[in-house]
Amino acid sequence: MARALRIAAMAGPILLGACGGGGSPPPTPTPTPAPTATATPVSYQVENCFTQTLPGTGGQSMRSMIVPDTLKLDLNRPSGFPNGRDLDDPVIDITLAYLFLDFSVSGQSPMTFANLPLNPPRNDKPFSDTFPFLAPPQGTPQFAATTGTSFDFRTDPDSAYTSVDRMGMPAIATALIGSSLKTTYNDANPTADAAGQFGADQTLQLTHLMDAIGDDLTDLGLKICARTS
Amino acid sequence: MRGFLRPMPVAGSTAAIAAALLFVPGAPNLAADHLDPPTRTDLAVDPTPDMPADIADIFAWYAGDTVRVIVTFGGPNDPNRPASFDRDVLYRIMISTAAPADTPEVVIRARFGRGKNPNEWGVRFEGVPGVTGAIEGPVETTLVKDGVKARAGLFDEPFFFDLQGFRESRSMGRIRFDNRRNFFDGNNDTALVLEIPKDRFANATTPLGFWITTSRIGGQL
């Protein structure tokens, strides 16, 4: 609890407040001037971030969650990201916690960022509990006519098509795959993931992310999953 | 409340273009899957981005007696633009139900087709567990067959995330997230939605593993 309170107190000025403040909107935040002191470069080793046990996942690690890159749903466990993904799950804040935090530390959990929250906590339009679950579209778009009864569908075999995109876990292809491998990754399949084709790049990309904000998280009183050398 | 949470100065009518401009070409950008891979779907990199084949998200969860699967694509899109129906794109929802977890036992294929009159579009789902033949009918309509509900159409963009904060955090080396700023507010996606009885997966021997692929006839745009 003490750690959680410390995080909230220190994060406030940086996170720029949370929903529920009421009253008039706060002033536009002014970027904090960059510090003039030169920090000693820190070299992060991120392997522990991929291998530590993630709370609430039945013993999964980040690596087993993202390799192969599929969205796992165990019908015998409560539904909710990362066990499946519902529309209102705060997947990015949870994913950021998985990528950055050390869960051997008391008080840190997959919900550490979501409880602040770090990112917007909900969609701008409410979802529905009933089919089709998504909110109606924004604006005044032209809808397709619903009067048709006969349609001209292609019947070509899968082999006639050229790959464009693939996705499993949210944000993995976008955040943990570098530019030089993006098309390769999207053309590949989970079997290539399982064979380790992209493991080195995922380590490299997470190291870059850790280089960017690992020290800030430490300054906020959080223990990061990366180790320093 | 949501107005208070939306200080993002990106007009809805230009959000899709702004999204492309805000991305650093080729650099990792923490979106769900929107505009990825950039060389095929990001206007900042590709002058002919393939919006209909650009996966935005996949959602899969269960509640009560049903499993719900949603695939969004073609977004975040201007709220005054129509849905991204394209006859030449194949959507495949892959589901692994047994080891190994990297191969699918279930492949649901979805395609769009034009009707006989202007602005008529239909959708066809094949391979849905427990459904004999295909589920087929007009878009923007809830289709029901053999206990499965299916729909394709235009919806609000369901993803919420401060993309600008992530980009600034990465480039400036400081945490810059702002939980009042959702880059995806005010935009739309096209979506495929399925609700399948949970017992259709009763024979699964592992947790279900979902992924989505898109492909285009005739090569990439």
Side-chain angles (χ1 to χ4, degrees), chain A residues 94-158:
Chain A
I94 293 174
T95 299
L96 289 171
Y98 284 157
L99 291 173
F100 288 104
L101 297 185
D102 183 340
F103 295 116
S104 68
V105 176
S106 177
Q108 295 191 169
S109 83
M111 295 300 289
T112 293
F113 294 142
N115 287 339
L116 289 171
L118 195 61
N119 275 284
R122 64 184 66 86
N123 192 37
D124 54 337
K125 297 184 78 170
F127 299 119
S128 171
D129 291 332
T130 59
F131 191 89
F133 312 110
L134 293 161
Q138 308 265 354
T140 54
Q142 181 185 17
F143 289 96
T146 59
T147 51
T149 57
S150 178
F151 305 97
D152 180 21
F153 296 108
R154 283 196 177 279
T155 57
D156 308 81
D158 292 7

Short mmCIF file of all heavy atoms in Angstrom, two decimals, chain A residues 94-158:
data_model
loop_
_atom_site.label_atom_id
_atom_site.label_comp_id
_atom_site.label_asym_id
_atom_site.label_seq_id
_atom_site.Cartn_x
_atom_site.Cartn_y
_atom_site.Cartn_z
N ILE A 94 -2.04 -2.65 -19.01
CA ILE A 94 -1.63 -3.97 -18.53
C ILE A 94 -0.39 -4.44 -19.28
O ILE A 94 0.57 -4.96 -18.67
CB ILE A 94 -2.78 -4.99 -18.67
CG1 ILE A 94 -3.93 -4.61 -17.73
CG2 ILE A 94 -2.30 -6.40 -18.38
CD1 ILE A 94 -5.18 -5.47 -17.91
N THR A 95 -0.37 -4.24 -20.58
CA THR A 95 0.79 -4.66 -21.37
C THR A 95 2.05 -3.90 -20.97
O THR A 95 3.14 -4.47 -20.86
CB THR A 95 0.51 -4.47 -22.87
OG1 THR A 95 -0.61 -5.29 -23.24
CG2 THR A 95 1.71 -4.87 -23.72
N LEU A 96 1.89 -2.61 -20.71
CA LEU A 96 3.05 -1.83 -20.26
C LEU A 96 3.57 -2.34 -18.92
O LEU A 96 4.78 -2.40 -18.70
CB LEU A 96 2.67 -0.34 -20.14
CG LEU A 96 2.44 0.39 -21.48
CD1 LEU A 96 1.85 1.78 -21.23
CD2 LEU A 96 3.75 0.50 -22.27
N ALA A 97 2.66 -2.72 -18.04
CA ALA A 97 3.09 -3.30 -16.76
C ALA A 97 3.85 -4.60 -16.99
O ALA A 97 4.91 -4.83 -16.39
CB ALA A 97 1.88 -3.54 -15.85
N TYR A 98 3.35 -5.44 -17.87
CA TYR A 98 4.03 -6.69 -18.18
C TYR A 98 5.42 -6.45 -18.75
O TYR A 98 6.37 -7.17 -18.45
CB TYR A 98 3.22 -7.50 -19.19
CG TYR A 98 2.01 -8.20 -18.63
CD1 TYR A 98 0.95 -8.54 -19.45
CD2 TYR A 98 1.92 -8.51 -17.28
CE1 TYR A 98 -0.16 -9.20 -18.96
CE2 TYR A 98 0.81 -9.16 -16.77
CZ TYR A 98 -0.24 -9.50 -17.61
OH TYR A 98 -1.33 -10.14 -17.11
N LEU A 99 5.53 -5.43 -19.58
CA LEU A 99 6.81 -5.17 -20.24
C LEU A 99 7.84 -4.52 -19.32
O LEU A 99 9.04 -4.73 -19.50
CB LEU A 99 6.60 -4.26 -21.47
CG LEU A 99 5.86 -4.88 -22.64
CD1 LEU A 99 5.59 -3.81 -23.69
CD2 LEU A 99 6.67 -6.03 -23.25
N PHE A 100 7.38 -3.75 -18.35
CA PHE A 100 8.32 -2.92 -17.59
C PHE A 100 8.49 -3.28 -16.12
O PHE A 100 9.54 -2.98 -15.54
CB PHE A 100 7.90 -1.44 -17.68
CG PHE A 100 8.13 -0.82 -19.02
CD1 PHE A 100 7.08 -0.60 -19.90
CD2 PHE A 100 9.41 -0.47 -19.43
CE1 PHE A 100 7.29 -0.03 -21.15
CE2 PHE A 100 9.63 0.10 -20.68
CZ PHE A 100 8.58 0.31 -21.54
N LEU A 101 7.50 -3.88 -15.49
CA LEU A 101 7.55 -4.00 -14.03
C LEU A 101 8.06 -5.35 -13.54
O LEU A 101 7.86 -6.38 -14.18
CB LEU A 101 6.16 -3.74 -13.44
CG LEU A 101 5.59 -2.34 -13.69
CD1 LEU A 101 4.26 -2.18 -12.95
CD2 LEU A 101 6.57 -1.24 -13.27
N ASP A 102 8.67 -5.31 -12.39
CA ASP A 102 9.16 -6.52 -11.70
C ASP A 102 8.06 -6.97 -10.75
O ASP A 102 7.74 -6.27 -9.78
CB ASP A 102 10.44 -6.17 -10.94
CG ASP A 102 11.06 -7.37 -10.26
OD1 ASP A 102 10.35 -8.38 -10.04
OD2 ASP A 102 12.26 -7.31 -9.93
N PHE A 103 7.51 -8.15 -10.99
CA PHE A 103 6.38 -8.61 -10.19
C PHE A 103 6.80 -9.41 -8.96
O PHE A 103 5.96 -9.93 -8.24
CB PHE A 103 5.42 -9.42 -11.06
CG PHE A 103 4.79 -8.58 -12.14
CD1 PHE A 103 5.03 -8.85 -13.47
CD2 PHE A 103 3.99 -7.49 -11.82
CE1 PHE A 103 4.48 -8.08 -14.47
CE2 PHE A 103 3.43 -6.70 -12.81
CZ PHE A 103 3.68 -7.00 -14.14
N SER A 104 8.10 -9.50 -8.74
CA SER A 104 8.54 -10.11 -7.49
C SER A 104 8.48 -9.09 -6.36
O SER A 104 8.66 -9.44 -5.18
CB SER A 104 9.97 -10.66 -7.63
OG SER A 104 10.90 -9.60 -7.79
N VAL A 105 8.23 -7.83 -6.71
CA VAL A 105 8.18 -6.77 -5.71
C VAL A 105 6.76 -6.61 -5.18
O VAL A 105 5.81 -6.49 -5.95
CB VAL A 105 8.66 -5.44 -6.34
CG1 VAL A 105 8.51 -4.29 -5.33
CG2 VAL A 105 10.08 -5.57 -6.81
N SER A 106 6.62 -6.63 -3.88
CA SER A 106 5.32 -6.46 -3.26
C SER A 106 4.71 -5.11 -3.63
O SER A 106 5.40 -4.08 -3.64
CB SER A 106 5.45 -6.54 -1.73
OG SER A 106 4.21 -6.32 -1.11
N GLY A 107 3.44 -5.11 -3.98
CA GLY A 107 2.75 -3.87 -4.32
C GLY A 107 2.71 -3.57 -5.79
O GLY A 107 1.98 -2.67 -6.22
N GLN A 108 3.48 -4.29 -6.59
CA GLN A 108 3.43 -4.11 -8.04
C GLN A 108 2.61 -5.24 -8.65
O GLN A 108 2.82 -6.41 -8.31
CB GLN A 108 4.84 -4.07 -8.65
CG GLN A 108 5.64 -2.88 -8.18
CD GLN A 108 6.93 -2.65 -8.95
OE1 GLN A 108 7.55 -1.61 -8.79
NE2 GLN A 108 7.34 -3.59 -9.77
N SER A 109 1.74 -4.88 -9.56
CA SER A 109 0.87 -5.89 -10.18
C SER A 109 0.62 -5.51 -11.63
O SER A 109 0.93 -4.39 -12.05
CB SER A 109 -0.46 -5.96 -9.42
OG SER A 109 -1.34 -4.95 -9.86
N PRO A 110 0.01 -6.41 -12.39
CA PRO A 110 -0.34 -6.05 -13.78
C PRO A 110 -1.28 -4.84 -13.84
O PRO A 110 -1.37 -4.20 -14.88
CB PRO A 110 -1.03 -7.32 -14.29
CG PRO A 110 -0.43 -8.42 -13.49
CD PRO A 110 -0.22 -7.83 -12.12
N MET A 111 -1.97 -4.53 -12.74
CA MET A 111 -2.91 -3.40 -12.75
C MET A 111 -2.29 -2.12 -12.21
O MET A 111 -2.99 -1.13 -12.02
CB MET A 111 -4.15 -3.77 -11.94
CG MET A 111 -4.98 -4.92 -12.53
SD MET A 111 -5.59 -4.54 -14.19
CE MET A 111 -6.82 -3.29 -13.81
N THR A 112 -1.00 -2.10 -11.95
CA THR A 112 -0.37 -0.92 -11.37
C THR A 112 -0.62 0.33 -12.23
O THR A 112 -0.99 1.38 -11.72
CB THR A 112 1.14 -1.14 -11.21
OG1 THR A 112 1.36 -2.15 -10.20
CG2 THR A 112 1.85 0.13 -10.78
N PHE A 113 -0.42 0.23 -13.52
CA PHE A 113 -0.65 1.39 -14.39
C PHE A 113 -2.14 1.61 -14.64
O PHE A 113 -2.61 2.74 -14.70
CB PHE A 113 0.07 1.20 -15.72
CG PHE A 113 1.57 1.19 -15.61
CD1 PHE A 113 2.33 0.33 -16.39
CD2 PHE A 113 2.23 2.03 -14.72
CE1 PHE A 113 3.72 0.32 -16.29
CE2 PHE A 113 3.62 2.03 -14.62
CZ PHE A 113 4.36 1.16 -15.40
N ALA A 114 -2.88 0.52 -14.80
CA ALA A 114 -4.32 0.65 -15.07
C ALA A 114 -5.05 1.28 -13.90
O ALA A 114 -6.04 1.99 -14.08
CB ALA A 114 -4.92 -0.72 -15.39
N ASN A 115 -4.56 1.07 -12.69
CA ASN A 115 -5.21 1.65 -11.52
C ASN A 115 -4.98 3.15 -11.40
O ASN A 115 -5.70 3.83 -10.68
CB ASN A 115 -4.72 0.95 -10.25
CG ASN A 115 -5.29 -0.45 -10.11
OD1 ASN A 115 -6.32 -0.77 -10.71
ND2 ASN A 115 -4.63 -1.30 -9.33
N LEU A 116 -3.95 3.66 -12.08
CA LEU A 116 -3.70 5.12 -11.97
C LEU A 116 -4.81 5.96 -12.62
O LEU A 116 -5.30 6.88 -11.96
CB LEU A 116 -2.33 5.44 -12.58
CG LEU A 116 -1.11 4.96 -11.79
CD1 LEU A 116 0.16 5.14 -12.58
CD2 LEU A 116 -1.03 5.70 -10.46
N PRO A 117 -5.24 5.81 -13.87
CA PRO A 117 -4.63 5.01 -14.92
C PRO A 117 -3.60 5.83 -15.69
O PRO A 117 -3.60 7.06 -15.66
CB PRO A 117 -5.82 4.69 -15.83
CG PRO A 117 -6.68 5.93 -15.72
CD PRO A 117 -6.48 6.45 -14.31
N LEU A 118 -2.73 5.11 -16.41
CA LEU A 118 -1.72 5.78 -17.21
C LEU A 118 -2.32 6.29 -18.53
O LEU A 118 -2.05 7.39 -18.96
CB LEU A 118 -0.59 4.80 -17.51
CG LEU A 118 0.73 5.33 -18.05
CD1 LEU A 118 1.37 6.29 -17.06
CD2 LEU A 118 1.69 4.18 -18.35
N ASN A 119 -3.15 5.46 -19.13
CA ASN A 119 -3.81 5.81 -20.39
C ASN A 119 -5.30 6.03 -20.15
O ASN A 119 -5.82 5.73 -19.06
CB ASN A 119 -3.60 4.68 -21.40
CG ASN A 119 -2.28 4.82 -22.13
OD1 ASN A 119 -2.14 5.66 -23.02
ND2 ASN A 119 -1.29 4.04 -21.71
N PRO A 120 -6.02 6.52 -21.15
CA PRO A 120 -7.47 6.69 -20.97
C PRO A 120 -8.09 5.39 -20.48
O PRO A 120 -7.80 4.32 -21.02
CB PRO A 120 -7.95 7.05 -22.38
CG PRO A 120 -6.77 7.61 -23.07
CD PRO A 120 -5.57 6.91 -22.50
N PRO A 121 -8.96 5.45 -19.49
CA PRO A 121 -9.48 4.22 -18.89
C PRO A 121 -10.64 3.59 -19.63
O PRO A 121 -11.06 2.49 -19.29
CB PRO A 121 -9.92 4.68 -17.50
CG PRO A 121 -10.30 6.11 -17.70
CD PRO A 121 -9.36 6.65 -18.74
N ARG A 122 -11.19 4.29 -20.59
CA ARG A 122 -12.36 3.74 -21.28
C ARG A 122 -12.50 4.37 -22.67
O ARG A 122 -11.87 5.37 -22.98
CB ARG A 122 -13.63 3.96 -20.47
CG ARG A 122 -13.99 5.43 -20.29
CD ARG A 122 -15.19 5.60 -19.39
NE ARG A 122 -14.89 5.18 -18.03
CZ ARG A 122 -14.33 5.97 -17.12
NH1 ARG A 122 -14.01 7.21 -17.43
NH2 ARG A 122 -14.09 5.54 -15.91
N ASN A 123 -13.36 3.76 -23.45
CA ASN A 123 -13.65 4.26 -24.78
C ASN A 123 -14.51 5.53 -24.69
O ASN A 123 -15.15 5.79 -23.67
CB ASN A 123 -14.39 3.17 -25.57
CG ASN A 123 -14.49 3.48 -27.04
OD1 ASN A 123 -13.56 4.04 -27.63
ND2 ASN A 123 -15.61 3.15 -27.65
N ASP A 124 -14.54 6.29 -25.76
CA ASP A 124 -15.33 7.52 -25.75
C ASP A 124 -16.83 7.25 -25.89
O ASP A 124 -17.63 8.12 -25.58
CB ASP A 124 -14.85 8.49 -26.83
CG ASP A 124 -14.82 7.87 -28.22
OD1 ASP A 124 -14.73 6.63 -28.32
OD2 ASP A 124 -14.88 8.62 -29.21
N LYS A 125 -17.21 6.09 -26.38
CA LYS A 125 -18.62 5.71 -26.44
C LYS A 125 -18.79 4.38 -25.71
O LYS A 125 -17.93 3.50 -25.83
CB LYS A 125 -19.10 5.57 -27.89
CG LYS A 125 -19.05 6.87 -28.70
CD LYS A 125 -19.63 6.69 -30.10
CE LYS A 125 -21.15 6.67 -30.06
NZ LYS A 125 -21.72 6.73 -31.45
N PRO A 126 -19.85 4.23 -24.95
CA PRO A 126 -20.00 2.99 -24.16
C PRO A 126 -20.27 1.78 -25.05
O PRO A 126 -20.96 1.88 -26.06
CB PRO A 126 -21.20 3.30 -23.25
CG PRO A 126 -21.95 4.37 -23.97
CD PRO A 126 -20.94 5.19 -24.71
N PHE A 127 -19.73 0.66 -24.61
CA PHE A 127 -20.00 -0.60 -25.29
C PHE A 127 -21.33 -1.17 -24.79
O PHE A 127 -21.87 -0.74 -23.78
CB PHE A 127 -18.86 -1.59 -25.03
CG PHE A 127 -17.52 -1.11 -25.52
CD1 PHE A 127 -16.47 -0.93 -24.64
CD2 PHE A 127 -17.31 -0.83 -26.87
CE1 PHE A 127 -15.23 -0.49 -25.08
CE2 PHE A 127 -16.08 -0.38 -27.32
CZ PHE A 127 -15.03 -0.21 -26.42
N SER A 128 -21.80 -2.17 -25.52
CA SER A 128 -23.05 -2.83 -25.16
C SER A 128 -22.77 -4.22 -24.61
O SER A 128 -21.82 -4.88 -25.03
CB SER A 128 -23.97 -2.93 -26.38
OG SER A 128 -25.10 -3.73 -26.09
N ASP A 129 -23.60 -4.67 -23.69
CA ASP A 129 -23.47 -6.04 -23.18
C ASP A 129 -24.10 -7.05 -24.13
O ASP A 129 -23.98 -8.26 -23.92
CB ASP A 129 -24.15 -6.16 -21.80
CG ASP A 129 -23.38 -5.40 -20.73
OD1 ASP A 129 -22.16 -5.24 -20.88
OD2 ASP A 129 -24.02 -4.95 -19.75
N THR A 130 -24.82 -6.56 -25.12
CA THR A 130 -25.50 -7.46 -26.04
C THR A 130 -24.96 -7.28 -27.45
O THR A 130 -24.39 -6.24 -27.79
CB THR A 130 -27.02 -7.21 -26.04
OG1 THR A 130 -27.27 -5.85 -26.43
CG2 THR A 130 -27.61 -7.45 -24.66
N PHE A 131 -25.16 -8.32 -28.25
CA PHE A 131 -24.69 -8.32 -29.63
C PHE A 131 -25.19 -7.07 -30.38
O PHE A 131 -26.35 -6.72 -30.22
CB PHE A 131 -25.21 -9.59 -30.32
CG PHE A 131 -24.59 -9.86 -31.65
CD1 PHE A 131 -23.43 -10.60 -31.76
CD2 PHE A 131 -25.16 -9.36 -32.80
CE1 PHE A 131 -22.85 -10.85 -32.99
CE2 PHE A 131 -24.59 -9.60 -34.04
CZ PHE A 131 -23.43 -10.35 -34.14
N PRO A 132 -24.34 -6.40 -31.15
CA PRO A 132 -22.97 -6.73 -31.55
C PRO A 132 -21.88 -6.10 -30.66
O PRO A 132 -20.74 -6.02 -31.08
CB PRO A 132 -22.90 -6.19 -32.96
CG PRO A 132 -23.78 -4.98 -32.93
CD PRO A 132 -24.89 -5.31 -31.98
N PHE A 133 -22.23 -5.64 -29.48
CA PHE A 133 -21.28 -5.23 -28.45
C PHE A 133 -20.57 -3.89 -28.72
O PHE A 133 -20.34 -3.13 -27.81
CB PHE A 133 -20.23 -6.33 -28.19
CG PHE A 133 -20.82 -7.68 -28.02
CD1 PHE A 133 -20.66 -8.67 -28.99
CD2 PHE A 133 -21.60 -7.98 -26.90
CE1 PHE A 133 -21.24 -9.92 -28.83
CE2 PHE A 133 -22.19 -9.23 -26.74
CZ PHE A 133 -22.00 -10.20 -27.71
N LEU A 134 -20.19 -3.63 -29.93
CA LEU A 134 -19.51 -2.38 -30.28
C LEU A 134 -20.50 -1.21 -30.23
O LEU A 134 -21.70 -1.39 -30.38
CB LEU A 134 -18.90 -2.47 -31.68
CG LEU A 134 -17.76 -3.46 -31.85
CD1 LEU A 134 -17.57 -3.80 -33.33
CD2 LEU A 134 -16.47 -2.90 -31.26
N ALA A 135 -19.96 -0.01 -30.07
CA ALA A 135 -20.81 1.19 -30.08
C ALA A 135 -21.13 1.58 -31.53
O ALA A 135 -20.35 1.29 -32.44
CB ALA A 135 -20.10 2.33 -29.37
N PRO A 136 -22.26 2.24 -31.74
CA PRO A 136 -22.59 2.71 -33.09
C PRO A 136 -21.52 3.67 -33.59
O PRO A 136 -20.79 4.28 -32.81
CB PRO A 136 -23.93 3.43 -32.89
CG PRO A 136 -24.47 2.92 -31.60
CD PRO A 136 -23.28 2.58 -30.74
N PRO A 137 -21.42 3.81 -34.90
CA PRO A 137 -20.35 4.66 -35.44
C PRO A 137 -20.52 6.13 -35.08
O PRO A 137 -21.61 6.60 -34.81
CB PRO A 137 -20.47 4.44 -36.95
CG PRO A 137 -21.86 3.97 -37.18
CD PRO A 137 -22.23 3.19 -35.95
N GLN A 138 -19.40 6.82 -35.12
CA GLN A 138 -19.38 8.26 -34.91
C GLN A 138 -19.84 8.96 -36.20
O GLN A 138 -19.79 8.39 -37.28
CB GLN A 138 -17.96 8.71 -34.60
CG GLN A 138 -17.27 7.96 -33.49
CD GLN A 138 -17.40 8.64 -32.15
OE1 GLN A 138 -17.92 9.74 -32.04
NE2 GLN A 138 -16.92 7.99 -31.10
N GLY A 139 -20.23 10.22 -36.04
CA GLY A 139 -20.51 11.06 -37.20
C GLY A 139 -21.77 10.65 -37.94
O GLY A 139 -22.68 10.03 -37.39
N THR A 140 -21.79 11.00 -39.21
CA THR A 140 -22.95 10.71 -40.06
C THR A 140 -22.50 10.02 -41.34
O THR A 140 -22.67 10.54 -42.44
CB THR A 140 -23.71 12.00 -40.41
OG1 THR A 140 -22.77 12.93 -40.99
CG2 THR A 140 -24.33 12.62 -39.18
N PRO A 141 -21.91 8.85 -41.20
CA PRO A 141 -21.42 8.16 -42.40
C PRO A 141 -22.57 7.59 -43.23
O PRO A 141 -23.66 7.35 -42.71
CB PRO A 141 -20.57 7.03 -41.80
CG PRO A 141 -21.22 6.74 -40.49
CD PRO A 141 -21.69 8.07 -39.98
N GLN A 142 -22.29 7.37 -44.49
CA GLN A 142 -23.26 6.69 -45.34
C GLN A 142 -23.15 5.19 -45.11
O GLN A 142 -22.05 4.62 -45.21
CB GLN A 142 -23.01 7.01 -46.81
CG GLN A 142 -24.02 6.33 -47.73
CD GLN A 142 -23.71 6.55 -49.20
OE1 GLN A 142 -22.61 6.93 -49.57
NE2 GLN A 142 -24.70 6.30 -50.05
N PHE A 143 -24.25 4.56 -44.81
CA PHE A 143 -24.25 3.11 -44.59
C PHE A 143 -24.55 2.38 -45.89
O PHE A 143 -25.27 2.88 -46.75
CB PHE A 143 -25.31 2.73 -43.55
CG PHE A 143 -24.95 3.14 -42.16
CD1 PHE A 143 -25.43 4.33 -41.63
CD2 PHE A 143 -24.13 2.35 -41.37
CE1 PHE A 143 -25.10 4.72 -40.34
CE2 PHE A 143 -23.79 2.73 -40.09
CZ PHE A 143 -24.27 3.92 -39.57
N ALA A 144 -24.01 1.17 -46.00
CA ALA A 144 -24.35 0.31 -47.12
C ALA A 144 -25.82 -0.08 -47.03
O ALA A 144 -26.38 -0.19 -45.94
CB ALA A 144 -23.48 -0.94 -47.11
N ALA A 145 -26.42 -0.29 -48.19
CA ALA A 145 -27.82 -0.71 -48.21
C ALA A 145 -27.94 -2.14 -47.67
O ALA A 145 -27.05 -2.97 -47.87
CB ALA A 145 -28.35 -0.65 -49.63
N THR A 146 -29.03 -2.39 -47.00
CA THR A 146 -29.24 -3.73 -46.42
C THR A 146 -30.30 -4.50 -47.19
O THR A 146 -30.87 -5.48 -46.69
CB THR A 146 -29.65 -3.61 -44.94
OG1 THR A 146 -30.86 -2.84 -44.87
CG2 THR A 146 -28.56 -2.92 -44.13
N THR A 147 -30.58 -4.07 -48.40
CA THR A 147 -31.68 -4.65 -49.18
C THR A 147 -31.26 -5.84 -50.04
O THR A 147 -32.11 -6.54 -50.58
CB THR A 147 -32.27 -3.58 -50.10
OG1 THR A 147 -31.19 -2.95 -50.83
CG2 THR A 147 -33.00 -2.52 -49.30
N GLY A 148 -29.96 -6.07 -50.17
CA GLY A 148 -29.50 -7.12 -51.09
C GLY A 148 -29.84 -8.51 -50.61
O GLY A 148 -29.92 -8.79 -49.40
N THR A 149 -30.04 -9.39 -51.56
CA THR A 149 -30.30 -10.80 -51.24
C THR A 149 -29.35 -11.73 -51.99
O THR A 149 -29.30 -12.92 -51.68
CB THR A 149 -31.75 -11.18 -51.60
OG1 THR A 149 -31.96 -10.91 -53.00
CG2 THR A 149 -32.74 -10.40 -50.76
N SER A 150 -28.64 -11.19 -52.94
CA SER A 150 -27.70 -11.99 -53.71
C SER A 150 -26.42 -11.19 -53.90
O SER A 150 -26.47 -10.02 -54.29
CB SER A 150 -28.31 -12.34 -55.08
OG SER A 150 -27.39 -13.08 -55.85
N PHE A 151 -25.29 -11.82 -53.63
CA PHE A 151 -24.03 -11.07 -53.62
C PHE A 151 -22.97 -11.84 -54.42
O PHE A 151 -22.99 -13.08 -54.49
CB PHE A 151 -23.56 -10.86 -52.18
CG PHE A 151 -24.58 -10.20 -51.32
CD1 PHE A 151 -25.40 -10.96 -50.49
CD2 PHE A 151 -24.77 -8.83 -51.36
CE1 PHE A 151 -26.36 -10.38 -49.69
CE2 PHE A 151 -25.74 -8.23 -50.56
CZ PHE A 151 -26.54 -9.00 -49.72
N ASP A 152 -22.03 -11.07 -54.92
CA ASP A 152 -20.98 -11.63 -55.78
C ASP A 152 -19.70 -11.81 -54.95
O ASP A 152 -18.83 -10.94 -54.92
CB ASP A 152 -20.74 -10.69 -56.96
CG ASP A 152 -19.66 -11.21 -57.89
OD1 ASP A 152 -19.41 -12.44 -57.87
OD2 ASP A 152 -19.08 -10.40 -58.64
N PHE A 153 -19.59 -12.95 -54.29
CA PHE A 153 -18.41 -13.22 -53.46
C PHE A 153 -17.35 -13.95 -54.27
O PHE A 153 -17.66 -14.77 -55.13
CB PHE A 153 -18.80 -14.12 -52.27
CG PHE A 153 -19.76 -13.51 -51.32
CD1 PHE A 153 -21.08 -13.96 -51.28
CD2 PHE A 153 -19.38 -12.49 -50.47
CE1 PHE A 153 -21.99 -13.41 -50.40
CE2 PHE A 153 -20.29 -11.94 -49.57
CZ PHE A 153 -21.60 -12.39 -49.55
N ARG A 154 -16.10 -13.65 -53.97
CA ARG A 154 -15.01 -14.45 -54.54
C ARG A 154 -15.02 -15.84 -53.94
O ARG A 154 -15.39 -16.04 -52.78
CB ARG A 154 -13.66 -13.77 -54.26
CG ARG A 154 -13.37 -12.58 -55.16
CD ARG A 154 -11.91 -12.21 -55.10
NE ARG A 154 -11.60 -11.12 -56.01
CZ ARG A 154 -11.38 -11.29 -57.32
NH1 ARG A 154 -11.42 -12.51 -57.84
NH2 ARG A 154 -11.10 -10.26 -58.07
N THR A 155 -14.55 -16.80 -54.73
CA THR A 155 -14.44 -18.17 -54.24
C THR A 155 -13.02 -18.70 -54.41
O THR A 155 -12.80 -19.91 -54.33
CB THR A 155 -15.42 -19.08 -55.01
OG1 THR A 155 -15.13 -18.98 -56.42
CG2 THR A 155 -16.86 -18.67 -54.75
N ASP A 156 -12.08 -17.77 -54.64
CA ASP A 156 -10.69 -18.19 -54.87
C ASP A 156 -10.13 -18.91 -53.63
O ASP A 156 -10.49 -18.59 -52.50
CB ASP A 156 -9.82 -16.95 -55.14
CG ASP A 156 -10.39 -16.09 -56.24
OD1 ASP A 156 -11.32 -15.30 -55.92
OD2 ASP A 156 -9.96 -16.21 -57.37
N PRO A 157 -9.23 -19.86 -53.86
CA PRO A 157 -8.59 -20.52 -52.72
C PRO A 157 -7.66 -19.57 -51.99
O PRO A 157 -7.23 -18.54 -52.54
CB PRO A 157 -7.80 -21.65 -53.38
CG PRO A 157 -7.53 -21.16 -54.76
CD PRO A 157 -8.74 -20.35 -55.15
N ASP A 158 -7.33 -19.90 -50.76
CA ASP A 158 -6.44 -19.05 -49.96
C ASP A 158 -5.13 -18.78 -50.70
O ASP A 158 -4.55 -17.69 -50.57
CB ASP A 158 -6.12 -19.74 -48.63
CG ASP A 158 -7.33 -19.84 -47.72
OD1 ASP A 158 -8.45 -19.51 -48.17
OD2 ASP A 158 -7.16 -20.26 -46.55
#
